[in-house]
Amino acid sequence: MIKPLLLVIAVWLVAWFSVKSLAGLRLASPRGQRLVDIAIPILFGVWLLVLWELVVRAFGIPSVLLPAPSMIWARIISSVPTLWADFRQTYLKAVVAGYVLGCGSGFITAIIVDRVPFLRKGLLPIGNLVAALPVVGIAPIMVMWFGFDWPSKAAVVIIMTFFPMLVNTVAGLAASGHMESDLMRTYGSSYWQTLLKLRLPAAMPFIFNALKINSTLALIGAIVAEFFGTPIVGMGFRISAEIGRMNVDMVWAEIFVAALAGSLSYGLIALVERAVTFWHPSYRN
Amino acid sequence: MTFLRDKLFPVTTVLLIILALWYLLAIFLNAPFERDQAQRSGTQLSTSQLIANTMHQERPVLPAPHQVAEEIRKTVFDVRPTSKRSLVYHGGVTLSSTLLGFVMGTLLGILLAVGIVHSRTLDKSLMPWIIASQTIPILAVAPMIIVVLNAVGMTGLLPKAMISTYLSFFPVAVGMVKGLRSPEIMHLDLMRTYSASASQVFWKLRWPAALPYLFTSMKIAVAISLVGAIVGELPTGAVAGLGARLLAGSYYGQTVQIWAALIAASLMAAVLVALVGLAAHVVNRRMGLQASEARR
C-alpha cells in the first residue's frame, strides 16, 4: 500500500513542478508566450490522465468503479459504429433540430417583446424565473406527447434553449448606448434600420452568450430526456442501459463522445463569435 | 404606484394569459380521447359537455391547472408529511440534497477561486479545465455516479449531493475569480503602502470586493443544484424525491402527478433563488453598498 502511494505522490510532484516551471516561463515574443499559455493546460491535462491511469493500476481499483483511460480508449476504438449511431440519433437529430428551433424562436420572440414595452415588463420577469427553473423535468411529459423517437427530445431542447435566448437577446437589445441611438435618429433612420445596423450588432455579445449556454443545455436536455423512454439507440439510452449491465467503460466512452461534441460545438460558436464581434473590447489587444 | 404599474399589472396579465392558454390547450389536447369514448359508447356529446369532461379526466394528456392545484393540495395537506405519498416528504428529500450539494459546491468554488487568484500555476493550468469541464454535459454522468457509488455502499444523500456540487461549483469559481480580481490597482497599491500582508489584503480588500459577485453566482448555483438533485434521483429506481416522483409518474402515465412534481420543483427553485437574493440584499446593505450598486 505504501509503495504505490509513494509512487503516485512522486509522479504528482514531478507533474506539479513541470507545470509550475512552464507557468513561470516568460517569453519576450508574444507569439511564443501564447504557445506557452496554450501548452500549460494541455500539459496539465496529460498529467491528469497519467495520474488517473497510475492510481487505477497502482491501487487496483476495480474497473466497475473507475476504468483506466487506456481501457476507455480501447472501448471507444472497438465500438465506433455503436457510438456513431448513438451520436447521430441524439446529437445530429434531436440536439441540432431542437437547438436551431429553440434559439430561433427565442430570438424572434425577443424582437417582438422588445417592440412591445408591455410584454417586456410582463414577460421578462417570468422569463428570468423560468430560466432558473428545472426545465429538464418537462422531459417525461414531452416523451408522452411526442413519442419515444427524437422529436420528443427535440421538444425538450426547444423549451430548454428558448428562455436563455429570450432573456439574453432582450438584455442585448437594450445594450446599445443613448449616444448611438440619438445619432441614428438624427440620420432619420427607421426602426428596422436602427435594429439591423445598431441594436442587433450591439446585442451580439449577449446573443452569443446565450448560444454558448444553450449548446451545453441542449445536449443535457436531449440525454436526460432519453432516460424517460427512447428507441434502442441514443446516448442517453446507452448510458442508462450499460450502467444496468455494469459496463462502466462503455458509459465513459459515451461520456467522452458527449464531451467531445460539447467542446467542439462550444469552440465552433466561440470562433463564429470572434468573427462577428471582432469589435468587442474583450478581443482587442 | 410605479411598482403596481410597471411590475405587478403586466406580470399578472401575462400570467393570466398563460393560464388561459393552458386551459385552451388542455381542452384541445384532451378532446380526442373524450370524442373517442363517446363514439365507442354510441352517445352524442354536446360541446359544453365535451369541454366539461376534458377538465376532469383521470389521466389527461394535459391536466387543467385546477387539477394540478388539487393534486398539490391533496398531497401536501391531506397526507402526513412522513408518508411516501406526501409531496412534502419528496420535496424534503430533494431539498436536503440540493442544499448539501449547494453548500459543498459553493465552498469548493470559493477554495478554487482563492487558489487560482493567488497561484499563477493554478491560474494557467486549472482555469481552462474548469471552463472545459462545463462543456461536458455533466448531468449525463449523474446516473453513473449514483449507481457506482451505490455499488460501493454509499447510498442516500451524498451521491446526489455530489452531482449538485459538481454543477454548482463552476458558477461560484468563475464568479469569485472575477470578484477577487475586481479591486482596482489603486486599492491594491494602497494596501501595499500600508505594508499589508497577503492575508490582510485578502480579508480587508479582496473578500469584501468579491461578495457581490459571490451572491450573483450563488443564485445560479442554487438553481442548478436543484436540477442536479432532481436528475440524480432518476436512476436510483424512483425511491424518493421529486425526480423519483417524475419518473414514477411517467412509468404509470400519471400526468397529474408529473405536473404536480414539476410545479413543486419550480416553486422550490423560485423560493431558493429569492432567499439567496434576499441574503445578498441584506449583506450588501450591511457592507454599505448603495441599493443601485447592489443590483448587479
Short mmCIF file of all heavy atoms in Angstrom, two decimals, chain A residues 186-246:
data_model
loop_
_atom_site.label_atom_id
_atom_site.label_comp_id
_atom_site.label_asym_id
_atom_site.label_seq_id
_atom_site.Cartn_x
_atom_site.Cartn_y
_atom_site.Cartn_z
N THR A 186 -30.88 61.20 -35.60
CA THR A 186 -30.54 62.39 -36.40
C THR A 186 -30.37 62.02 -37.86
O THR A 186 -30.58 62.84 -38.74
CB THR A 186 -29.25 63.06 -35.91
OG1 THR A 186 -28.20 62.11 -35.99
CG2 THR A 186 -29.39 63.57 -34.51
N TYR A 187 -29.98 60.78 -38.13
CA TYR A 187 -29.89 60.34 -39.53
C TYR A 187 -31.26 60.07 -40.11
O TYR A 187 -31.39 59.73 -41.28
CB TYR A 187 -29.08 59.04 -39.63
CG TYR A 187 -27.60 59.20 -39.39
CD1 TYR A 187 -26.82 58.10 -39.07
CD2 TYR A 187 -26.97 60.43 -39.52
CE1 TYR A 187 -25.46 58.23 -38.84
CE2 TYR A 187 -25.62 60.56 -39.30
CZ TYR A 187 -24.87 59.47 -38.96
OH TYR A 187 -23.54 59.59 -38.74
N GLY A 188 -32.30 60.13 -39.26
CA GLY A 188 -33.64 59.84 -39.71
C GLY A 188 -33.84 58.39 -40.08
O GLY A 188 -34.60 58.06 -40.99
N SER A 189 -33.16 57.49 -39.41
CA SER A 189 -33.27 56.07 -39.78
C SER A 189 -34.55 55.47 -39.19
O SER A 189 -35.03 55.89 -38.14
CB SER A 189 -32.05 55.30 -39.29
OG SER A 189 -31.97 55.39 -37.89
N SER A 190 -35.08 54.48 -39.90
CA SER A 190 -36.32 53.83 -39.48
C SER A 190 -36.02 52.82 -38.37
O SER A 190 -34.87 52.58 -38.02
CB SER A 190 -36.95 53.11 -40.66
OG SER A 190 -36.14 52.00 -41.02
N TYR A 191 -37.10 52.24 -37.81
CA TYR A 191 -36.94 51.24 -36.74
C TYR A 191 -36.07 50.08 -37.21
O TYR A 191 -35.16 49.65 -36.53
CB TYR A 191 -38.32 50.72 -36.32
CG TYR A 191 -38.25 49.46 -35.48
CD1 TYR A 191 -37.94 49.52 -34.13
CD2 TYR A 191 -38.48 48.22 -36.06
CE1 TYR A 191 -37.84 48.37 -33.38
CE2 TYR A 191 -38.40 47.06 -35.30
CZ TYR A 191 -38.08 47.15 -33.97
OH TYR A 191 -38.00 46.02 -33.23
N TRP A 192 -36.36 49.59 -38.44
CA TRP A 192 -35.62 48.42 -38.92
C TRP A 192 -34.16 48.74 -39.18
O TRP A 192 -33.30 47.91 -38.93
CB TRP A 192 -36.28 47.88 -40.20
CG TRP A 192 -37.58 47.21 -39.88
CD1 TRP A 192 -38.82 47.69 -40.15
CD2 TRP A 192 -37.75 45.98 -39.19
NE1 TRP A 192 -39.77 46.84 -39.66
CE2 TRP A 192 -39.14 45.78 -39.09
CE3 TRP A 192 -36.89 45.04 -38.65
CZ2 TRP A 192 -39.69 44.65 -38.45
CZ3 TRP A 192 -37.42 43.93 -38.03
CH2 TRP A 192 -38.80 43.74 -37.93
N GLN A 193 -33.91 49.97 -39.70
CA GLN A 193 -32.52 50.35 -39.93
C GLN A 193 -31.75 50.40 -38.62
O GLN A 193 -30.64 49.90 -38.51
CB GLN A 193 -32.45 51.70 -40.64
CG GLN A 193 -32.70 51.57 -42.13
CD GLN A 193 -32.84 52.90 -42.78
OE1 GLN A 193 -33.35 53.85 -42.18
NE2 GLN A 193 -32.39 53.00 -44.03
N THR A 194 -32.38 51.03 -37.58
CA THR A 194 -31.71 51.08 -36.28
C THR A 194 -31.48 49.68 -35.75
O THR A 194 -30.42 49.37 -35.20
CB THR A 194 -32.59 51.86 -35.28
OG1 THR A 194 -33.16 52.97 -35.95
CG2 THR A 194 -31.78 52.31 -34.10
N LEU A 195 -32.49 48.83 -35.93
CA LEU A 195 -32.38 47.46 -35.41
C LEU A 195 -31.22 46.72 -36.08
O LEU A 195 -30.37 46.13 -35.41
CB LEU A 195 -33.69 46.71 -35.65
CG LEU A 195 -33.76 45.31 -35.05
CD1 LEU A 195 -33.87 45.41 -33.54
CD2 LEU A 195 -34.94 44.54 -35.62
N LEU A 196 -31.18 46.78 -37.41
CA LEU A 196 -30.21 45.97 -38.14
C LEU A 196 -28.80 46.54 -38.05
O LEU A 196 -27.83 45.79 -37.99
CB LEU A 196 -30.63 45.84 -39.61
CG LEU A 196 -31.82 44.93 -39.84
CD1 LEU A 196 -32.19 44.90 -41.32
CD2 LEU A 196 -31.53 43.52 -39.35
N LYS A 197 -28.71 47.87 -38.04
CA LYS A 197 -27.37 48.46 -38.13
C LYS A 197 -26.77 48.79 -36.79
O LYS A 197 -25.56 48.88 -36.65
CB LYS A 197 -27.44 49.73 -39.00
CG LYS A 197 -27.93 49.38 -40.36
CD LYS A 197 -27.53 50.37 -41.40
CE LYS A 197 -27.63 49.66 -42.72
NZ LYS A 197 -28.23 50.27 -43.79
N LEU A 198 -27.62 49.03 -35.79
CA LEU A 198 -27.05 49.40 -34.49
C LEU A 198 -27.36 48.36 -33.40
O LEU A 198 -26.46 47.81 -32.78
CB LEU A 198 -27.58 50.78 -34.06
CG LEU A 198 -27.27 51.15 -32.60
CD1 LEU A 198 -25.78 51.28 -32.40
CD2 LEU A 198 -27.99 52.42 -32.21
N ARG A 199 -28.64 48.08 -33.21
CA ARG A 199 -29.01 47.37 -31.98
C ARG A 199 -28.67 45.89 -32.05
O ARG A 199 -28.21 45.32 -31.06
CB ARG A 199 -30.49 47.59 -31.70
CG ARG A 199 -30.77 49.09 -31.53
CD ARG A 199 -32.21 49.38 -31.25
NE ARG A 199 -32.63 48.80 -30.01
CZ ARG A 199 -33.86 48.32 -29.80
NH1 ARG A 199 -34.75 48.40 -30.75
NH2 ARG A 199 -34.18 47.82 -28.65
N LEU A 200 -28.89 45.25 -33.20
CA LEU A 200 -28.54 43.83 -33.28
C LEU A 200 -27.03 43.60 -33.17
O LEU A 200 -26.59 42.73 -32.42
CB LEU A 200 -29.09 43.21 -34.56
CG LEU A 200 -30.54 42.71 -34.44
CD1 LEU A 200 -30.96 42.03 -35.72
CD2 LEU A 200 -30.69 41.78 -33.27
N PRO A 201 -26.22 44.38 -33.90
CA PRO A 201 -24.77 44.21 -33.69
C PRO A 201 -24.37 44.45 -32.24
O PRO A 201 -23.54 43.71 -31.70
CB PRO A 201 -24.15 45.28 -34.60
CG PRO A 201 -25.15 45.47 -35.68
CD PRO A 201 -26.49 45.29 -35.03
N ALA A 202 -24.97 45.44 -31.58
CA ALA A 202 -24.62 45.71 -30.19
C ALA A 202 -25.07 44.56 -29.29
O ALA A 202 -24.49 44.33 -28.23
CB ALA A 202 -25.26 47.01 -29.73
N ALA A 203 -26.12 43.84 -29.73
CA ALA A 203 -26.65 42.74 -28.91
C ALA A 203 -25.88 41.45 -29.10
O ALA A 203 -26.08 40.49 -28.35
CB ALA A 203 -28.13 42.51 -29.23
N MET A 204 -25.00 41.41 -30.11
CA MET A 204 -24.34 40.15 -30.47
C MET A 204 -23.60 39.47 -29.31
O MET A 204 -23.71 38.25 -29.16
CB MET A 204 -23.39 40.37 -31.65
CG MET A 204 -24.09 40.31 -32.99
SD MET A 204 -24.97 38.76 -33.20
CE MET A 204 -26.17 39.20 -34.42
N PRO A 205 -22.82 40.21 -28.48
CA PRO A 205 -22.16 39.51 -27.37
C PRO A 205 -23.15 38.78 -26.48
O PRO A 205 -22.89 37.65 -26.05
CB PRO A 205 -21.48 40.65 -26.60
CG PRO A 205 -21.25 41.70 -27.61
CD PRO A 205 -22.41 41.61 -28.55
N PHE A 206 -24.31 39.39 -26.21
CA PHE A 206 -25.32 38.74 -25.38
C PHE A 206 -25.89 37.52 -26.08
O PHE A 206 -26.11 36.48 -25.47
CB PHE A 206 -26.45 39.73 -25.07
CG PHE A 206 -26.04 40.86 -24.18
CD1 PHE A 206 -25.40 41.96 -24.69
CD2 PHE A 206 -26.31 40.82 -22.83
CE1 PHE A 206 -25.01 43.01 -23.87
CE2 PHE A 206 -25.92 41.85 -21.99
CZ PHE A 206 -25.27 42.95 -22.52
N ILE A 207 -26.17 37.67 -27.39
CA ILE A 207 -26.76 36.56 -28.13
C ILE A 207 -25.80 35.38 -28.16
O ILE A 207 -26.20 34.21 -27.98
CB ILE A 207 -27.12 37.02 -29.56
CG1 ILE A 207 -28.25 38.06 -29.49
CG2 ILE A 207 -27.54 35.84 -30.41
CD1 ILE A 207 -28.57 38.71 -30.79
N PHE A 208 -24.50 35.68 -28.35
CA PHE A 208 -23.54 34.57 -28.37
C PHE A 208 -23.39 33.94 -27.00
O PHE A 208 -23.16 32.73 -26.90
CB PHE A 208 -22.20 35.05 -28.91
CG PHE A 208 -22.13 34.97 -30.40
CD1 PHE A 208 -22.25 36.10 -31.18
CD2 PHE A 208 -21.98 33.75 -31.01
CE1 PHE A 208 -22.23 36.02 -32.55
CE2 PHE A 208 -21.94 33.66 -32.38
CZ PHE A 208 -22.07 34.80 -33.15
N ASN A 209 -23.54 34.75 -25.97
CA ASN A 209 -23.53 34.20 -24.62
C ASN A 209 -24.64 33.16 -24.49
O ASN A 209 -24.42 32.04 -24.00
CB ASN A 209 -23.72 35.34 -23.62
CG ASN A 209 -23.50 34.87 -22.20
OD1 ASN A 209 -22.81 33.88 -21.99
ND2 ASN A 209 -24.08 35.56 -21.25
N ALA A 210 -25.85 33.52 -24.96
CA ALA A 210 -26.97 32.58 -24.90
C ALA A 210 -26.70 31.34 -25.74
O ALA A 210 -26.99 30.22 -25.34
CB ALA A 210 -28.26 33.26 -25.36
N LEU A 211 -26.12 31.55 -26.93
CA LEU A 211 -25.83 30.41 -27.81
C LEU A 211 -24.87 29.44 -27.12
O LEU A 211 -25.02 28.23 -27.23
CB LEU A 211 -25.22 30.90 -29.12
CG LEU A 211 -26.18 31.52 -30.12
CD1 LEU A 211 -25.43 32.05 -31.33
CD2 LEU A 211 -27.23 30.52 -30.56
N LYS A 212 -23.88 30.00 -26.39
CA LYS A 212 -22.93 29.14 -25.69
C LYS A 212 -23.60 28.38 -24.56
O LYS A 212 -23.42 27.17 -24.42
CB LYS A 212 -21.79 29.99 -25.12
CG LYS A 212 -20.75 30.40 -26.13
CD LYS A 212 -19.71 31.21 -25.40
CE LYS A 212 -18.68 31.80 -26.33
NZ LYS A 212 -17.93 32.84 -25.61
N ILE A 213 -24.37 29.10 -23.73
CA ILE A 213 -25.09 28.44 -22.63
C ILE A 213 -25.96 27.33 -23.21
O ILE A 213 -25.99 26.20 -22.71
CB ILE A 213 -25.97 29.44 -21.87
CG1 ILE A 213 -25.12 30.52 -21.22
CG2 ILE A 213 -26.81 28.74 -20.82
CD1 ILE A 213 -25.95 31.64 -20.63
N ASN A 214 -26.66 27.65 -24.31
CA ASN A 214 -27.61 26.70 -24.87
C ASN A 214 -26.95 25.47 -25.46
O ASN A 214 -27.55 24.41 -25.49
CB ASN A 214 -28.44 27.40 -25.95
CG ASN A 214 -29.55 28.23 -25.34
OD1 ASN A 214 -29.87 28.06 -24.17
ND2 ASN A 214 -30.13 29.11 -26.12
N SER A 215 -25.70 25.62 -25.97
CA SER A 215 -25.07 24.45 -26.59
C SER A 215 -24.88 23.35 -25.56
O SER A 215 -25.04 22.17 -25.87
CB SER A 215 -23.74 24.85 -27.24
OG SER A 215 -22.75 25.04 -26.26
N THR A 216 -24.55 23.71 -24.31
CA THR A 216 -24.43 22.69 -23.28
C THR A 216 -25.81 22.21 -22.83
O THR A 216 -26.04 21.01 -22.69
CB THR A 216 -23.69 23.23 -22.04
OG1 THR A 216 -22.84 24.28 -22.45
CG2 THR A 216 -22.92 22.16 -21.36
N LEU A 217 -26.72 23.17 -22.63
CA LEU A 217 -28.06 22.82 -22.16
C LEU A 217 -28.74 21.85 -23.12
O LEU A 217 -29.42 20.92 -22.69
CB LEU A 217 -28.91 24.09 -22.05
CG LEU A 217 -28.78 24.90 -20.77
CD1 LEU A 217 -29.74 26.07 -20.81
CD2 LEU A 217 -29.08 24.03 -19.57
N ALA A 218 -28.56 22.07 -24.42
CA ALA A 218 -29.25 21.25 -25.42
C ALA A 218 -28.82 19.79 -25.30
O ALA A 218 -29.66 18.88 -25.30
CB ALA A 218 -28.95 21.77 -26.82
N LEU A 219 -27.52 19.57 -25.15
CA LEU A 219 -27.02 18.21 -25.04
C LEU A 219 -27.54 17.55 -23.77
O LEU A 219 -27.98 16.39 -23.77
CB LEU A 219 -25.49 18.23 -25.05
CG LEU A 219 -24.79 16.94 -25.42
CD1 LEU A 219 -25.40 16.33 -26.67
CD2 LEU A 219 -23.31 17.19 -25.65
N ILE A 220 -27.52 18.31 -22.65
CA ILE A 220 -28.04 17.78 -21.39
C ILE A 220 -29.51 17.41 -21.55
O ILE A 220 -29.93 16.31 -21.19
CB ILE A 220 -27.90 18.83 -20.26
CG1 ILE A 220 -26.43 18.98 -19.89
CG2 ILE A 220 -28.70 18.42 -19.05
CD1 ILE A 220 -26.18 20.05 -18.86
N GLY A 221 -30.29 18.31 -22.13
CA GLY A 221 -31.72 18.08 -22.29
C GLY A 221 -32.01 16.83 -23.08
O GLY A 221 -32.82 15.99 -22.67
N ALA A 222 -31.30 16.66 -24.20
CA ALA A 222 -31.55 15.50 -25.06
C ALA A 222 -31.18 14.21 -24.34
O ALA A 222 -31.93 13.22 -24.38
CB ALA A 222 -30.77 15.63 -26.36
N ILE A 223 -30.04 14.21 -23.65
CA ILE A 223 -29.61 12.97 -22.99
C ILE A 223 -30.53 12.62 -21.83
O ILE A 223 -30.95 11.47 -21.69
CB ILE A 223 -28.14 13.11 -22.51
CG1 ILE A 223 -27.21 13.14 -23.72
CG2 ILE A 223 -27.76 11.97 -21.59
CD1 ILE A 223 -25.75 13.29 -23.37
N VAL A 224 -30.87 13.62 -21.02
CA VAL A 224 -31.75 13.33 -19.89
C VAL A 224 -33.12 12.88 -20.37
O VAL A 224 -33.73 11.98 -19.78
CB VAL A 224 -31.84 14.55 -18.95
CG1 VAL A 224 -32.89 14.33 -17.89
CG2 VAL A 224 -30.50 14.82 -18.31
N ALA A 225 -33.63 13.49 -21.45
CA ALA A 225 -34.94 13.09 -21.96
C ALA A 225 -34.93 11.63 -22.38
O ALA A 225 -35.95 10.95 -22.29
CB ALA A 225 -35.34 13.98 -23.13
N GLU A 226 -33.78 11.14 -22.80
CA GLU A 226 -33.73 9.73 -23.22
C GLU A 226 -33.82 8.77 -22.04
O GLU A 226 -34.13 7.60 -22.22
CB GLU A 226 -32.45 9.47 -24.02
CG GLU A 226 -32.55 10.04 -25.42
CD GLU A 226 -31.34 9.71 -26.26
OE1 GLU A 226 -30.40 9.10 -25.73
OE2 GLU A 226 -31.35 10.08 -27.44
N PHE A 227 -33.56 9.27 -20.83
CA PHE A 227 -33.74 8.40 -19.67
C PHE A 227 -35.20 8.03 -19.47
O PHE A 227 -35.53 7.06 -18.81
CB PHE A 227 -33.24 9.08 -18.38
CG PHE A 227 -31.76 9.32 -18.35
CD1 PHE A 227 -31.22 10.27 -17.50
CD2 PHE A 227 -30.91 8.61 -19.18
CE1 PHE A 227 -29.86 10.50 -17.48
CE2 PHE A 227 -29.55 8.84 -19.16
CZ PHE A 227 -29.02 9.78 -18.31
N PHE A 228 -36.11 8.80 -20.05
CA PHE A 228 -37.54 8.58 -19.81
C PHE A 228 -38.19 7.73 -20.89
O PHE A 228 -39.39 7.57 -20.90
CB PHE A 228 -38.28 9.91 -19.73
CG PHE A 228 -38.02 10.66 -18.48
CD1 PHE A 228 -37.05 11.64 -18.44
CD2 PHE A 228 -38.71 10.38 -17.32
CE1 PHE A 228 -36.79 12.33 -17.28
CE2 PHE A 228 -38.46 11.06 -16.16
CZ PHE A 228 -37.49 12.04 -16.14
N GLY A 229 -37.41 7.22 -21.82
CA GLY A 229 -38.03 6.42 -22.85
C GLY A 229 -37.47 6.79 -24.20
O GLY A 229 -37.40 7.96 -24.54
N THR A 230 -37.03 5.77 -24.95
CA THR A 230 -36.34 6.01 -26.21
C THR A 230 -36.34 4.72 -27.01
O THR A 230 -36.48 3.65 -26.45
CB THR A 230 -34.88 6.46 -25.91
OG1 THR A 230 -34.07 6.14 -27.01
CG2 THR A 230 -34.32 5.75 -24.70
N PRO A 231 -36.18 4.84 -28.34
CA PRO A 231 -35.89 3.62 -29.09
C PRO A 231 -34.51 3.11 -28.67
O PRO A 231 -33.81 3.80 -27.93
CB PRO A 231 -35.90 4.09 -30.54
CG PRO A 231 -35.64 5.55 -30.46
CD PRO A 231 -36.25 6.01 -29.19
N ILE A 232 -34.10 1.92 -29.12
CA ILE A 232 -32.89 1.33 -28.55
C ILE A 232 -31.62 1.90 -29.15
O ILE A 232 -30.66 1.18 -29.39
CB ILE A 232 -32.90 -0.20 -28.70
CG1 ILE A 232 -33.17 -0.56 -30.16
CG2 ILE A 232 -33.94 -0.82 -27.80
CD1 ILE A 232 -32.78 -1.97 -30.50
N VAL A 233 -31.59 3.19 -29.40
CA VAL A 233 -30.38 3.84 -29.84
C VAL A 233 -30.38 5.25 -29.26
O VAL A 233 -31.43 5.80 -28.95
CB VAL A 233 -30.29 3.86 -31.39
CG1 VAL A 233 -31.40 4.70 -31.98
CG2 VAL A 233 -28.94 4.33 -31.87
N GLY A 234 -29.19 5.81 -29.03
CA GLY A 234 -29.12 7.14 -28.44
C GLY A 234 -28.17 7.14 -27.26
O GLY A 234 -27.98 6.13 -26.60
N MET A 235 -27.55 8.31 -27.02
CA MET A 235 -26.52 8.38 -25.98
C MET A 235 -27.10 8.18 -24.59
O MET A 235 -26.54 7.46 -23.77
CB MET A 235 -25.81 9.72 -26.08
CG MET A 235 -25.02 9.87 -27.37
SD MET A 235 -24.66 11.57 -27.78
CE MET A 235 -23.14 11.77 -26.93
N GLY A 236 -28.23 8.80 -24.32
CA GLY A 236 -28.86 8.65 -23.02
C GLY A 236 -29.30 7.21 -22.78
O GLY A 236 -29.11 6.66 -21.69
N PHE A 237 -29.87 6.60 -23.83
CA PHE A 237 -30.28 5.20 -23.71
C PHE A 237 -29.09 4.32 -23.41
O PHE A 237 -29.12 3.47 -22.52
CB PHE A 237 -30.94 4.73 -25.01
CG PHE A 237 -31.02 3.23 -25.12
CD1 PHE A 237 -31.99 2.53 -24.43
CD2 PHE A 237 -30.10 2.53 -25.88
CE1 PHE A 237 -32.04 1.16 -24.50
CE2 PHE A 237 -30.15 1.16 -25.96
CZ PHE A 237 -31.13 0.47 -25.27
N ARG A 238 -27.99 4.52 -24.17
CA ARG A 238 -26.80 3.69 -23.98
C ARG A 238 -26.25 3.84 -22.57
O ARG A 238 -25.91 2.85 -21.92
CB ARG A 238 -25.73 4.10 -25.01
CG ARG A 238 -24.60 3.12 -25.17
CD ARG A 238 -25.02 1.86 -25.92
NE ARG A 238 -25.54 2.18 -27.24
CZ ARG A 238 -26.36 1.38 -27.92
NH1 ARG A 238 -26.74 0.24 -27.42
NH2 ARG A 238 -26.80 1.75 -29.09
N ILE A 239 -26.21 5.08 -22.08
CA ILE A 239 -25.67 5.29 -20.74
C ILE A 239 -26.50 4.53 -19.71
O ILE A 239 -25.96 3.77 -18.91
CB ILE A 239 -25.66 6.80 -20.41
CG1 ILE A 239 -24.55 7.50 -21.21
CG2 ILE A 239 -25.42 7.03 -18.92
CD1 ILE A 239 -24.54 8.99 -21.07
N SER A 240 -27.84 4.68 -19.76
CA SER A 240 -28.63 4.03 -18.72
C SER A 240 -28.63 2.52 -18.90
O SER A 240 -28.66 1.78 -17.91
CB SER A 240 -30.05 4.60 -18.68
OG SER A 240 -30.62 4.53 -19.95
N ALA A 241 -28.57 2.04 -20.15
CA ALA A 241 -28.59 0.59 -20.37
C ALA A 241 -27.28 -0.05 -19.93
O ALA A 241 -27.28 -1.10 -19.28
CB ALA A 241 -28.86 0.28 -21.84
N GLU A 242 -26.16 0.59 -20.28
CA GLU A 242 -24.86 -0.03 -19.96
C GLU A 242 -24.56 0.06 -18.46
O GLU A 242 -23.82 -0.77 -17.93
CB GLU A 242 -23.74 0.64 -20.76
CG GLU A 242 -23.86 0.47 -22.26
CD GLU A 242 -23.69 -0.98 -22.71
OE1 GLU A 242 -22.99 -1.74 -22.02
OE2 GLU A 242 -24.28 -1.34 -23.74
N ILE A 243 -25.12 1.04 -17.78
CA ILE A 243 -24.95 1.07 -16.32
C ILE A 243 -25.64 -0.13 -15.71
O ILE A 243 -25.10 -0.78 -14.82
CB ILE A 243 -25.54 2.36 -15.73
CG1 ILE A 243 -24.63 3.53 -16.04
CG2 ILE A 243 -25.67 2.24 -14.22
CD1 ILE A 243 -25.23 4.82 -15.61
N GLY A 244 -26.83 -0.43 -16.23
CA GLY A 244 -27.56 -1.59 -15.73
C GLY A 244 -26.75 -2.87 -15.86
O GLY A 244 -26.87 -3.77 -15.03
N ARG A 245 -25.91 -2.95 -16.91
CA ARG A 245 -25.08 -4.15 -17.10
C ARG A 245 -23.70 -3.96 -16.51
O ARG A 245 -22.82 -4.79 -16.71
CB ARG A 245 -24.98 -4.45 -18.59
CG ARG A 245 -26.33 -4.78 -19.20
CD ARG A 245 -26.31 -4.65 -20.71
NE ARG A 245 -25.28 -5.52 -21.31
CZ ARG A 245 -24.85 -5.40 -22.54
NH1 ARG A 245 -25.33 -4.44 -23.30
NH2 ARG A 245 -23.94 -6.22 -23.02
N MET A 246 -23.48 -2.87 -15.79
CA MET A 246 -22.21 -2.57 -15.13
C MET A 246 -21.05 -2.48 -16.13
O MET A 246 -19.90 -2.74 -15.80
CB MET A 246 -21.88 -3.60 -14.04
CG MET A 246 -22.63 -3.34 -12.76
SD MET A 246 -22.09 -1.80 -12.00
CE MET A 246 -23.34 -1.50 -10.79
#
